[in-house]
Amino acid sequence: MSLKFTVPAAKESRPPQPPAKGAWRGHLREYGMILSLAVIVLFFEKTTNGALLLPLNLTNLVLQNSYIVIMALGMLLVIVAGHIDLSVGSVSGFIGALAAVLMVQFHLNFILTSLLCLAAGALIGAAQGYWIAYFKIPSFIVTLAGMLVFRGLCLVTLAGQSIGPFPVDFQKLSSGFLPDVLAGGKLNVTSLVLTILLTASLVGLAWRNRVKRLENGISQESPLFFWLKHVVMAVAVLGLGYLLSSYKGLPNVLIIMIVLIALYTFATLRTTIGRRIYALGGNEKAARLSGINTERLTFLTFVNMGVLAALAGLVFAARLNTATPKAGLSFELDVIAACFIGGASASGGVGKVTGAVIGAFIMGIMNNGMSIVGVGIDWQQVIKGLVLLAAVCFDVYNRNRS
């Protein structure tokens, strides 16, 4: 009788594969946006004699662009799915008017009011998404109609007048700051500690993803470039956190934005529904043949957009401390521009959450910097239009080369 011994096979180690053709082009676009943001910041910091990066102005930048960033997260998914939503500005204005009526005139609790307004946003998104997804009416037409309808409803709800002020607790949604439970005196230590933890988490997650991709044989940038990139990122985040902490700390709305950005980044990169949205925008017919319920997916992207537009409307109303008939005017243009400047493709299927956020802050810093310098609103519109056109031209150029 003979005994047979088997030796466990060693785990196969796959060597990193060379980058696919055109792979660096996506990195070039991503890093180009970050470099563009840095150049714009340095330019306006110089031309404003250091006023741009003052803690007070940085806080104002966050507050002024918070609702644009929030809506850009939803608009990104709509654009990636191959659609567009022109109604988001009117919806946010209408939701602000609805919140004012419920809280100021009917004295409803601000928490219940906020929940009802978010539900109203979901219903608005569902109403528009239903016609787009199941009746195949172009999103441009449906949301253009929605823009007119909800702008009119905002005027009807407010009876052509501004309504306010809001309860103090509701105002804290946009104008409140994270309390300093560690009592650091002039410096908000709690905000600074949270910034350090956030920075460490970002670097740790990036390193973990790099290790996993290397184990799977996916080519990565050199270790020197990886650490250089993340050291620069860490310094930027820590510097921003320190400047904000030296004023009043992290604004409440910034915490909301960070949570939403993390949630939507995870959803787009790590979940099945996120991958299906990209497949839908890339080729709807192929996505349908592969078993994806494209109608339901389109419907859900507009429901999501409605909820985020409602949240942005609440944040904007809380910041102004009043609901006005002109609230949300032209918001949709800034939101769409932020997504396209951030790398979203006009043909669908391409775009990143981080890109949309960077695009929103590029627009916001340009607005803020030009206002401080004294550039008129007329020339501001001209410059923003040219920047948007350049971003779309760059996208078309990249697609034609690929």
Side-chain angles (χ1 to χ4, degrees):
M1 180 177 174
S2 61
L3 297 177
K4 295 182 178 180
F5 296 93
T6 59
V7 180
K11 184 178 178 180
E12 183 180 358
S13 177
R14 290 180 289 180
Q17 300 297 317
K21 182 181 180 181
W24 292 107
R25 197 168 294 132
H27 290 297
L28 177 64
R29 180 66 186 268
E30 180 182 354
Y31 299 148
M33 288 186 298
I34 297 174
L35 289 175
S36 298
L37 178 61
V39 169
I40 291 171
V41 169
L42 292 175
F43 173 77
F44 282 114
E45 175 69 4
K46 178 68 175 179
T47 55
T48 60
N49 296 320
L52 182 71
L53 295 182
L54 289 177
L56 175 60
N57 191 60
L58 282 174
T59 302
N60 288 334
L61 266 173
V62 172
L63 299 181
Q64 290 170 0
N65 294 282
S66 56
Y67 41 89
I68 300 298
V69 172
I70 290 171
M71 286 191 286
L73 297 175
M75 185 65 73
L76 174 72
L77 298 185
V78 171
I79 292 175
V80 165
H83 299 283
I84 200 73
D85 191 341
L86 301 177
S87 68
V88 292
S90 298
V91 171
S92 63
F94 169 68
I95 292 298
L98 179 62
V101 170
L102 292 176
M103 281 187 285
V104 178
Q105 295 184 351
F106 291 94
H107 306 288
L108 208 61
N109 179 273
F110 78 96
I111 296 179
L112 180 58
T113 297
S114 299
L115 293 176
L116 289 174
C117 287
L118 293 177
L123 288 175
I124 291 170
Q128 297 189 127
Y130 179 77
W131 293 103
I132 295 166
Y134 296 102
F135 283 84
K136 306 302 180 183
I137 301 177
S139 58
F140 182 90
I141 301 300
V142 174
T143 58
L144 178 61
M147 180 177 70
L148 300 174
V149 167
F150 295 108
R151 177 57 55 194
L153 288 177
C154 177
L155 294 172
V156 170
T157 304
L158 296 175
Q161 298 179 346
S162 298
I163 297 179
F166 290 109
V168 176
D169 290 335
F170 179 73
Q171 295 177 38
K172 292 180 180 178
L173 175 65
S174 182
S175 60
F177 294 85
L178 189 70
D180 188 9
V181 296
L182 300 178
K186 293 183 178 181
L187 188 68
N188 192 312
V189 178
T190 303
S191 296
L192 188 58
V193 169
L194 286 178
T195 303
I196 295 172
L197 293 176
L198 173 64
T199 306
S201 299
L202 291 174
V203 175
L205 287 173
W207 175 252
R208 180 184 176 188
N209 290 335
R210 174 183 171 83
V211 170
K212 284 187 175 182
R213 292 170 71 87
L214 286 174
E215 289 177 351
N216 292 325
I218 302 175
S219 178
Q220 296 289 289
E221 66 267 17
S222 67
L224 176 61
F225 183 77
F226 172 85
W227 285 114
L228 179 62
K229 177 177 68 174
H230 286 87
V231 165
V232 172
M233 180 272 296
V235 170
V237 173
L238 289 173
L240 176 62
Y242 176 80
L243 291 173
L244 292 175
S245 299
S246 65
Y247 177 55
K248 290 185 178 180
L250 301 180
N252 292 337
V253 72
L254 179 59
I255 304 298
I256 296 174
M257 287 165 52
I258 291 173
V259 172
L260 288 175
I261 291 169
L263 177 63
Y264 279 83
T265 300
F266 176 80
T268 53
L269 297 180
R270 301 292 183 182
T271 66
T272 301
I273 191 170
R275 290 190 290 270
R276 286 179 175 178
I277 290 174
Y278 283 90
L280 170 63
N283 190 321
E284 182 178 1
K285 184 177 180 180
R288 187 185 301 111
L289 291 175
S290 66
I292 297 174
N293 190 332
T294 56
E295 288 83 5
R296 183 174 63 186
L297 200 59
T298 299
F299 176 79
L300 291 177
T301 59
F302 279 92
V303 172
N304 174 73
M305 184 70 258
V307 173
L308 291 181
L311 177 58
L314 293 174
V315 170
F316 184 71
R319 178 172 174 265
L320 290 185
N321 196 23
T322 185
T324 66
K326 292 187 177 181
L329 194 64
S330 299
F331 280 7
E332 61 277 351
L333 301 181
D334 285 338
V335 173
I336 293 170
C339 292
F340 286 143
I341 291 173
S345 174
S347 59
V350 177
K352 288 185 176 182
V353 169
T354 51
V357 174
I358 291 173
F361 277 108
I362 286 176
M363 295 291 290
I365 291 171
M366 287 176 60
N367 288 335
N368 184 266
M370 287 188 291
S371 297
I372 295 175
V373 172
V375 178
I377 188 66
D378 45 0
W379 284 107
Q380 289 187 30
Q381 298 298 325
V382 171
I383 294 171
K384 287 160 59 177
L386 292 175
V387 170
L388 174 59
L389 180 62
V392 175
C393 289
F394 188 67
D395 169 62
V396 173
Y397 173 75
N398 276 339
R399 284 191 290 111
N400 290 337
R401 287 191 60 189
S402 59

